[in-house]
Amino acid sequence: VHYSWIYVTGRCNLHGGYCLFRHMHGREISMDAVKQLFLYFERETTAPSTLIFSGGEAFLARANLFKISEEARHRFPGISLHIQTNGLLINDDIDRLKDLGISLEFGIDGSPETTIRHRCGLNEKTFEKLASTIGKCVKAGINCGSTMTVHPHEVERLEQGLEFLRQIGMPHVDVTPAAFMP
Protein backbone atom coordinates (compact mmCIF):
# COMPACT_ATOMS: atom_id res chain seq x y z
CA VAL A 1 0.00 0.00 0.00
CA HIS A 2 1.61 3.22 -1.13
CA TYR A 3 -1.27 5.68 -0.86
CA SER A 4 -4.35 5.78 1.31
CA TRP A 5 -6.98 8.51 1.16
CA ILE A 6 -8.99 9.67 4.13
CA TYR A 7 -11.95 11.75 3.05
CA VAL A 8 -12.24 13.96 6.10
CA THR A 9 -15.51 15.61 5.10
CA GLY A 10 -17.92 15.81 2.20
CA ARG A 11 -18.59 19.48 2.93
CA CYS A 12 -17.09 22.11 0.66
CA ASN A 13 -17.07 25.89 0.47
CA LEU A 14 -17.03 25.75 -3.36
CA HIS A 15 -19.26 23.98 -5.85
CA GLY A 16 -17.03 22.60 -8.60
CA GLY A 17 -18.96 20.94 -11.40
CA TYR A 18 -16.41 18.15 -11.70
CA CYS A 19 -16.03 17.42 -7.98
CA LEU A 20 -16.66 13.75 -7.24
CA PHE A 21 -18.00 14.66 -3.78
CA ARG A 22 -20.40 17.46 -4.72
CA HIS A 23 -23.42 15.43 -3.59
CA MET A 24 -22.04 14.31 -0.22
CA HIS A 25 -22.71 17.47 1.79
CA GLY A 26 -22.33 17.33 5.54
CA ARG A 27 -20.73 13.94 6.04
CA GLU A 28 -17.57 13.80 8.14
CA ILE A 29 -15.36 10.85 9.04
CA SER A 30 -15.54 9.71 12.64
CA MET A 31 -12.45 9.45 14.79
CA ASP A 32 -13.52 5.87 15.55
CA ALA A 33 -13.28 5.00 11.84
CA VAL A 34 -9.82 6.56 11.68
CA LYS A 35 -8.67 4.66 14.78
CA GLN A 36 -9.92 1.40 13.23
CA LEU A 37 -8.02 2.17 10.03
CA PHE A 38 -4.84 2.93 11.95
CA LEU A 39 -5.22 -0.26 14.01
CA TYR A 40 -5.56 -2.20 10.74
CA PHE A 41 -2.37 -0.58 9.41
CA GLU A 42 -0.53 -1.56 12.60
CA ARG A 43 -1.95 -5.08 12.84
CA GLU A 44 -1.37 -5.96 9.19
CA THR A 45 1.84 -3.91 8.88
CA THR A 46 0.39 -2.30 5.77
CA ALA A 47 0.76 1.36 6.64
CA PRO A 48 0.91 3.33 3.41
CA SER A 49 3.92 5.42 2.52
CA THR A 50 1.58 8.39 1.98
CA LEU A 51 -1.64 9.31 3.72
CA ILE A 52 -3.76 11.80 1.77
CA PHE A 53 -6.47 13.88 3.42
CA SER A 54 -9.18 15.07 1.11
CA GLY A 55 -12.87 15.71 0.89
CA GLY A 56 -14.97 18.19 -0.05
CA GLU A 57 -12.68 20.68 1.62
CA ALA A 58 -10.57 19.09 4.37
CA PHE A 59 -10.05 22.40 6.20
CA LEU A 60 -13.81 22.61 6.88
CA ALA A 61 -13.11 19.79 9.36
CA ARG A 62 -9.97 21.52 10.68
CA ALA A 63 -10.11 20.08 14.23
CA ASN A 64 -10.44 16.48 13.00
CA LEU A 65 -7.96 17.09 10.18
CA PHE A 66 -5.23 18.11 12.60
CA LYS A 67 -6.20 15.50 15.19
CA ILE A 68 -5.91 12.76 12.55
CA SER A 69 -2.65 14.24 11.20
CA GLU A 70 -1.07 14.37 14.64
CA GLU A 71 -2.18 10.81 15.41
CA ALA A 72 -0.80 9.57 12.07
CA ARG A 73 2.51 11.38 12.65
CA HIS A 74 2.75 9.84 16.14
CA ARG A 75 1.83 6.28 15.11
CA PHE A 76 3.61 6.20 11.73
CA PRO A 77 6.62 8.55 12.00
CA GLY A 78 7.93 7.86 8.49
CA ILE A 79 4.64 8.34 6.67
CA SER A 80 4.15 11.25 4.26
CA LEU A 81 1.12 13.38 5.08
CA HIS A 82 -0.63 15.25 2.30
CA ILE A 83 -3.75 17.48 2.13
CA GLN A 84 -5.78 18.16 -1.01
CA THR A 85 -7.36 21.62 -0.65
CA ASN A 86 -8.83 24.58 -2.45
CA GLY A 87 -6.60 26.69 -0.19
CA LEU A 88 -9.19 29.26 0.83
CA LEU A 89 -9.43 28.22 4.48
CA ILE A 90 -5.72 28.01 5.30
CA ASN A 91 -5.20 30.97 7.59
CA ASP A 92 -2.98 30.63 10.64
CA ASP A 93 -2.23 26.98 9.86
CA ILE A 94 1.04 27.37 7.96
CA ASP A 95 3.36 26.88 10.94
CA ARG A 96 1.35 23.89 12.16
CA LEU A 97 1.38 22.33 8.68
CA LYS A 98 5.12 22.83 8.46
CA ASP A 99 5.73 21.39 11.95
CA LEU A 100 3.77 18.25 11.02
CA GLY A 101 5.61 17.95 7.69
CA ILE A 102 2.37 18.06 5.71
CA SER A 103 2.48 18.74 1.98
CA LEU A 104 -0.36 20.51 0.17
CA GLU A 105 -2.06 19.97 -3.17
CA PHE A 106 -4.08 22.99 -4.28
CA GLY A 107 -6.97 22.83 -6.73
CA ILE A 108 -6.17 25.61 -9.20
CA ASP A 109 -6.74 25.38 -12.93
CA GLY A 110 -4.22 27.97 -14.06
CA SER A 111 -5.23 31.56 -14.71
CA PRO A 112 -7.82 33.40 -12.63
CA GLU A 113 -10.35 33.35 -15.49
CA THR A 114 -10.19 29.60 -16.02
CA THR A 115 -10.16 28.72 -12.33
CA ILE A 116 -13.04 31.06 -11.47
CA ARG A 117 -15.08 29.70 -14.39
CA HIS A 118 -14.82 26.08 -13.23
CA ARG A 119 -14.37 26.26 -9.48
CA CYS A 120 -17.79 27.70 -8.73
CA GLY A 121 -17.79 29.92 -5.69
CA LEU A 122 -14.46 31.54 -6.50
CA ASN A 123 -14.29 35.17 -7.56
CA GLU A 124 -11.42 37.58 -8.20
CA LYS A 125 -10.99 38.37 -4.49
CA THR A 126 -10.98 34.74 -3.35
CA PHE A 127 -8.68 33.79 -6.24
CA GLU A 128 -6.20 36.43 -5.04
CA LYS A 129 -6.40 34.88 -1.56
CA LEU A 130 -5.71 31.44 -3.04
CA ALA A 131 -2.68 32.71 -4.99
CA SER A 132 -1.42 34.55 -1.90
CA THR A 133 -1.84 31.44 0.28
CA ILE A 134 0.11 29.37 -2.23
CA GLY A 135 2.91 31.96 -2.16
CA LYS A 136 3.00 32.00 1.66
CA CYS A 137 3.10 28.20 1.85
CA VAL A 138 5.88 27.92 -0.74
CA LYS A 139 7.85 30.69 1.02
CA ALA A 140 7.42 28.88 4.37
CA GLY A 141 9.02 25.78 2.84
CA ILE A 142 5.89 23.64 2.67
CA ASN A 143 5.99 21.12 -0.16
CA CYS A 144 3.23 22.33 -2.51
CA GLY A 145 1.71 21.14 -5.74
CA SER A 146 -1.49 21.60 -7.66
CA THR A 147 -4.13 19.74 -9.58
CA MET A 148 -4.90 21.63 -12.77
CA THR A 149 -8.13 20.38 -14.32
CA VAL A 150 -8.25 21.03 -18.06
CA HIS A 151 -11.51 21.06 -20.01
CA PRO A 152 -11.52 19.86 -23.63
CA HIS A 153 -12.49 23.29 -24.95
CA GLU A 154 -9.60 24.90 -23.04
CA VAL A 155 -6.71 22.66 -24.07
CA GLU A 156 -5.29 25.47 -26.20
CA ARG A 157 -4.84 27.51 -22.98
CA LEU A 158 -2.95 24.75 -21.15
CA GLU A 159 0.46 26.33 -21.72
CA GLN A 160 -0.75 29.73 -20.49
CA GLY A 161 -2.21 28.12 -17.37
CA LEU A 162 1.03 26.30 -16.62
CA GLU A 163 2.98 29.53 -17.10
CA PHE A 164 0.67 31.34 -14.68
CA LEU A 165 1.20 28.63 -12.05
CA ARG A 166 4.96 28.85 -12.56
CA GLN A 167 4.84 32.61 -12.06
CA ILE A 168 3.05 32.31 -8.70
CA GLY A 169 5.68 29.83 -7.54
CA MET A 170 3.87 26.51 -7.95
CA PRO A 171 6.68 23.92 -7.99
CA HIS A 172 4.62 20.88 -9.07
CA VAL A 173 1.52 20.55 -11.27
CA ASP A 174 -0.60 17.49 -12.02
CA VAL A 175 -2.71 18.04 -15.13
CA THR A 176 -6.05 16.20 -15.09
CA PRO A 177 -8.66 16.06 -17.86
CA ALA A 178 -12.18 17.10 -16.89
CA ALA A 179 -13.40 13.57 -17.46
CA PHE A 180 -16.74 13.89 -15.65
CA MET A 181 -18.00 16.94 -17.49
CA PRO A 182 -20.62 16.66 -20.23
Side-chain angles (χ1 to χ4, degrees):
V1 176
H2 295 287
Y3 303 98
S4 185
W5 274 258
I6 293 180
Y7 296 101
V8 182
T9 182
R11 294 180 295 136
C12 189
N13 54 328
L14 297 179
H15 308 286
Y18 44 76
C19 178
L20 297 173
F21 297 92
R22 66 184 171 271
H23 303 296
M24 298 176 67
H25 304 290
R27 294 175 55 191
E28 193 165 309
I29 194 165
S30 71
M31 286 306 295
D32 185 54
V34 172
K35 288 178 184 176
Q36 293 301 315
L37 178 65
F38 288 176
L39 285 171
Y40 174 79
F41 289 161
E42 290 169 335
R43 184 179 65 248
E44 302 296 325
T45 63
T46 59
S49 57
T50 303
L51 191 57
I52 302 166
F53 304 107
S54 192
E57 172 51 47
F59 282 93
L60 280 170
R62 178 180 271 100
N64 268 355
L65 175 64
F66 281 108
K67 187 185 260 187
I68 296 166
S69 299
E70 289 165 355
E71 183 70 16
R73 179 60 66 223
H74 172 74
R75 289 170 95 155
F76 312 104
I79 199 169
S80 293
L81 301 177
H82 185 80
I83 299 173
Q84 296 175 323
T85 180
N86 62 40
L88 297 177
L89 301 176
I90 298 171
N91 296 316
D92 301 326
D93 302 309
I94 293 175
D95 289 338
R96 195 170 183 191
L97 292 165
K98 188 171 180 178
D99 289 345
L100 285 167
I102 296 175
S103 63
L104 297 171
E105 178 184 332
F106 293 92
I108 181 170
D109 300 333
S111 70
E113 299 80 23
T114 301
T115 304
I116 290 168
R117 181 173 26 257
H118 297 293
R119 305 233 178 209
C120 303
L122 276 179
N123 56 44
E124 288 181 23
K125 185 177 178 179
T126 53
F127 185 88
E128 287 176 21
K129 180 182 181 351
L130 168 58
S132 172
T133 298
I134 291 169
K136 289 176 186 175
C137 290
V138 169
K139 185 177 179 180
I142 294 173
N143 183 11
C144 295
S146 68
T147 298
M148 178 182 179
T149 302
V150 178
H151 296 261
H153 62 278
E154 294 179 340
V155 171
E156 67 276 356
R157 287 184 234 147
L158 173 65
E159 193 172 333
Q160 291 170 313
L162 289 169
E163 178 59 23
F164 177 84
L165 293 173
R166 187 192 65 75
Q167 288 175 4
I168 65 169
M170 185 60 68
H172 175 86
V173 178
D174 288 329
V175 177
T176 304
F180 301 106
M181 294 298 292

